[in-house]
């Protein structure tokens, strides 16, 4: 099937390359010429495991093309996906200007019956507005559908190519039939395509992200209580995660959640509630709890050194909002770096993939290094924010030799407190502080 994808970000590029992998003929459009040029040269503009190979393989077989021209991409396409960004506006609502601009460009370029699909995360009612915008531009027949994306960065290919479910919101049977045909290759083992009305599909995406974020904020708050009462959040996590009604995933206490989705989607959902006079107090609290919690790690570092960090050198490991991505949008590491710098610290940081993105933000204000152990030389403390695999089993002896003071802040509870203490470190985790205070050997 001939497919066009508008936007070649994390979602658009994975969608385009993933559908091409299933044999479809895909053209991806982006208004960012440099990005399109890079993709045409076979370079992948984002860090996502397996994506460069998938893009190159399918581009090589002429099933995946890149262009800056929407009419060129849409010509002959049976399905057009809108996968552009929907960032937050200052009032918390989703900025839909990119979606609507894409809809106008699609409307102007339609040549015959086409299914127009919103894959971006968009507030309830957006597909209806897209339909109106397209209708103002064209006399050609078309149908709209909502097909929210549930991939997670860092494991996006797996999620897209083997989805737990495909949600299709549509009130036009032609749209449903076309999308069922498009996704057939992914649904051979079981039919995981769920059809619902447009608004339910749009809201399902927000509900999913709000639920996942709620679990994290819940555990982060409980971690603070665990510290205060002398309990261990890791034991509690295992204790509740084994209950099949709860399940083990998304229960890790840590440095707080970030990324381009959870914070903005929570705020957009609260905003939608407000517009409809429905108070979403739980969702609102999750966002606020996370904003507060994102500062807790930095506060702990500052408190350890007596309230100021002048002349302190603090090493930070992990800057991306999660492992296996270069995405730093709303990353807790950025909050931490701001706090440390405001308290007077010199920050030296390492990340396996996100250094370039961080450099565009902080320029020379933060020393960025290419090797994890270069960051700790002469450091007064090491803070782990993002639990990349390569950072999970540090060489403690090497750290001890390199650091000025043996102080570890494990923002993801991935290091062994006992091993760290045996090696002579002061160890701080999340939700485990009571043990740290009483059992330092
Ligand atoms: P992104 O910012 O990485 O990419 C968006 C791309 O769209 C950019 O390259 C931009 O240049 C391009 N663009 C903007 N307007 C355009 C236009 N008119 N024509 C062509 N290209 C245009 O965004 P993303 O992270 O891929 O997210 C896209 C959407 O998917 C958002 O609504 C997001 O909430 C949702 N989503 C994201 C994820 C994720 O993990 N990143 C997961 C699920 C859903």
């Amino acid at each position: 099937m001939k497919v066009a994808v508008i936007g070649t970000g994390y979602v658009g590029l994975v969608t385009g390359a993933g559908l091409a992998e299933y044999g479809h003929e895909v053209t991806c459009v982006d208004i960012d010429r440099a990005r399109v040029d890079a993709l045409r040269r076979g370079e992948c503009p984002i860090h996502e495991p397996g994506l460069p190979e998938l893009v190159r393989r399918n581009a090589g077989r002429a099933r995946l093309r890149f262009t800056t021209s929407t009419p060129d991409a849409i010509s002959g396409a049976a399905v057009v996906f809108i996968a552009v960004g929907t960032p937050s506006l200052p009032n918390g609502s989703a900025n839909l200007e990119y979606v609507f601009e894409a809809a106008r460009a699609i409307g102007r370029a339609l040549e015959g019956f086409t299914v127009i699909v919103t894959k971006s995360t968009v507030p309830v009612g957006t597909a209806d507005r897209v339909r109106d915008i397209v209708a103002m531009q064209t006399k050609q027949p078309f149908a709209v559908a909502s097909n929210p994306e549930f991939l997670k960065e860092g494991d996006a290919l797996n999620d897209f190519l083997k989805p737990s479910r495909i949600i299709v919101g549509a009130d036009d049977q032609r749209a449903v039939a076309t999308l069922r045909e498009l996704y057939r290759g992914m649904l051979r083992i079981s039919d995981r395509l769920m059809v619902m009305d447009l608004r339910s599909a749009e809201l399902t995406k927000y509900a999913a992200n709000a639920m996942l974020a709620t679990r994290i904020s819940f555990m982060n708050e409980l971690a603070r209580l665990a510290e205060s009462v002398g309990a261990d959040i890791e034991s509690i996590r295992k204790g509740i995660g084994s209950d099949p009604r709860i399940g083990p995933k998304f229960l890790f206490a840590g440095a707080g959640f970030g990324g381009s989705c959870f914070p903005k989607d929570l705020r957009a959902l609260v905003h939608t509630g407000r517009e409809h006079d429905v108070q979403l107090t739980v969702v609102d609290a999750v966002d606020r709890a996370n904003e507060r919690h994102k500062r807790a790690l930095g506060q702990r570092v500052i408190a350890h050194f007596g309230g100021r960090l002048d002349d302190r050198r603090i090493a930070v490991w992990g800057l991306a909002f999660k492992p296996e991505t270069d995405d730093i949008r709303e990353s807790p590491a950025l909050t931490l770096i701001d706090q440390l710098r405001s308290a007077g610290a010199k920050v030296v940081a390492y990340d396996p993939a996100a250094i370039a993105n961080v450099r565009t933000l902080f320029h020379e204000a933060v020393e960025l290094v290419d090797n994890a152990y270069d960051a700790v030389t002469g450091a007064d403390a090491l803070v782990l924010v993002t639990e990349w695999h390569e950072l999970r089993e540090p060489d403690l002896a090497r750290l001890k030799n390199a650091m000025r003071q043996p102080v570890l802040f494990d923002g993801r509870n991935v290091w062994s407190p006992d091993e760290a203490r045996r090696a002579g470190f002061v160890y701080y985790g999340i939700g485990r502080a009571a043990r740290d205070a009483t059992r330092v050997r």
Side-chain angles (χ1 to χ4, degrees), residues 6-7 9-11 30-31 84 86 120-121 149 153 261 264 329:
I6 318 283
Y10 291 86
V11 168
D30 206 295
I31 46 174
V84 300
T86 49
S120 300
T121 303
E149 182 51 55
E153 287 175 27
C261 291
K264 91 167 165 58
R329 290 178 280 189

